[in-house]
Amino acid sequence: MSAERDRLIGPSGQLTAPFWPANPPPYYSEKPPYSGPPPVLQHQPYPAYGYDPSNVIQTQTRVDVEVKPRNYIFLSLLTAICVSPLFGLLALYFALKVDSAWAAGDRVKARQNSKRAVRLSLTGIFIGVVAVVALVVVIAVLL
């Protein structure tokens, strides 16, 4: 332990670790290579980037980010089970076709199937609610 301590503490009593240089490099003690006044920036006719803006052709890259349309499977199942099996199953058919059309790269067909699925589901829900209300009214009138 004392040999290690003697190696780390030099003859002057200061800590000298292997990663601390005993003699600093010359650039620590010398003046910097440039000792004149700071450079003066003069007016430039063009931006300081080093190009002439009249020779620059500006281009814009258009990135089309297409978002996959929703497939409305849950709404279609809810319509098929709870309200109107006919419209719900038709909506479910189109909802399942959305993902396959998107995977095949047919973006237009995927959007069409998504719209058909939601429209059929909402139509089925509307017809189901109207039928239930009509049934309640008929039963209330007959009793």
mmCIF file of all heavy atoms in Angstrom, residues 59-65:
data_model
loop_
_atom_site.group_PDB
_atom_site.id
_atom_site.type_symbol
_atom_site.label_atom_id
_atom_site.label_comp_id
_atom_site.label_asym_id
_atom_site.label_seq_id
_atom_site.Cartn_x
_atom_site.Cartn_y
_atom_site.Cartn_z
ATOM 1 N N THR A 59 -34.794 24.088 -53.902
ATOM 2 C CA THR A 59 -35.711 22.988 -54.173
ATOM 3 C C THR A 59 -36.381 22.589 -52.868
ATOM 4 O O THR A 59 -35.807 22.728 -51.801
ATOM 5 C CB THR A 59 -34.976 21.766 -54.760
ATOM 6 O OG1 THR A 59 -34.000 21.327 -53.816
ATOM 7 C CG2 THR A 59 -34.307 22.109 -56.067
ATOM 8 N N GLN A 60 -37.569 22.111 -52.989
ATOM 9 C CA GLN A 60 -38.285 21.610 -51.828
ATOM 10 C C GLN A 60 -38.624 20.151 -52.085
ATOM 11 O O GLN A 60 -39.102 19.805 -53.166
ATOM 12 C CB GLN A 60 -39.559 22.396 -51.585
ATOM 13 C CG GLN A 60 -39.309 23.828 -51.173
ATOM 14 C CD GLN A 60 -40.610 24.564 -50.932
ATOM 15 O OE1 GLN A 60 -41.675 24.107 -51.299
ATOM 16 N NE2 GLN A 60 -40.520 25.721 -50.300
ATOM 17 N N THR A 61 -38.373 19.363 -51.101
ATOM 18 C CA THR A 61 -38.708 17.953 -51.201
ATOM 19 C C THR A 61 -40.068 17.751 -50.560
ATOM 20 O O THR A 61 -40.269 18.091 -49.396
ATOM 21 C CB THR A 61 -37.661 17.090 -50.485
ATOM 22 O OG1 THR A 61 -36.385 17.391 -51.041
ATOM 23 C CG2 THR A 61 -37.964 15.625 -50.661
ATOM 24 N N ARG A 62 -40.967 17.210 -51.302
ATOM 25 C CA ARG A 62 -42.303 16.950 -50.785
ATOM 26 C C ARG A 62 -42.350 15.517 -50.290
ATOM 27 O O ARG A 62 -42.045 14.581 -51.026
ATOM 28 C CB ARG A 62 -43.337 17.156 -51.872
ATOM 29 C CG ARG A 62 -44.734 16.944 -51.383
ATOM 30 C CD ARG A 62 -45.741 17.222 -52.453
ATOM 31 N NE ARG A 62 -47.057 16.872 -51.942
ATOM 32 C CZ ARG A 62 -48.132 16.919 -52.662
ATOM 33 N NH1 ARG A 62 -48.082 17.312 -53.903
ATOM 34 N NH2 ARG A 62 -49.291 16.587 -52.148
ATOM 35 N N VAL A 63 -42.712 15.372 -49.057
ATOM 36 C CA VAL A 63 -42.824 14.056 -48.464
ATOM 37 C C VAL A 63 -44.296 13.803 -48.193
ATOM 38 O O VAL A 63 -44.923 14.501 -47.407
ATOM 39 C CB VAL A 63 -42.013 13.961 -47.148
ATOM 40 C CG1 VAL A 63 -42.173 12.603 -46.525
ATOM 41 C CG2 VAL A 63 -40.553 14.272 -47.408
ATOM 42 N N ASP A 64 -44.829 12.833 -48.882
ATOM 43 C CA ASP A 64 -46.224 12.470 -48.669
ATOM 44 C C ASP A 64 -46.292 11.392 -47.600
ATOM 45 O O ASP A 64 -45.794 10.288 -47.789
ATOM 46 C CB ASP A 64 -46.850 11.948 -49.966
ATOM 47 C CG ASP A 64 -46.998 13.046 -51.003
ATOM 48 O OD1 ASP A 64 -47.182 14.209 -50.596
ATOM 49 O OD2 ASP A 64 -46.934 12.736 -52.194
ATOM 50 N N VAL A 65 -46.894 11.744 -46.510
ATOM 51 C CA VAL A 65 -47.065 10.792 -45.428
ATOM 52 C C VAL A 65 -48.527 10.381 -45.434
ATOM 53 O O VAL A 65 -49.409 11.192 -45.180
ATOM 54 C CB VAL A 65 -46.684 11.406 -44.069
ATOM 55 C CG1 VAL A 65 -46.909 10.419 -42.960
ATOM 56 C CG2 VAL A 65 -45.252 11.874 -44.099
#
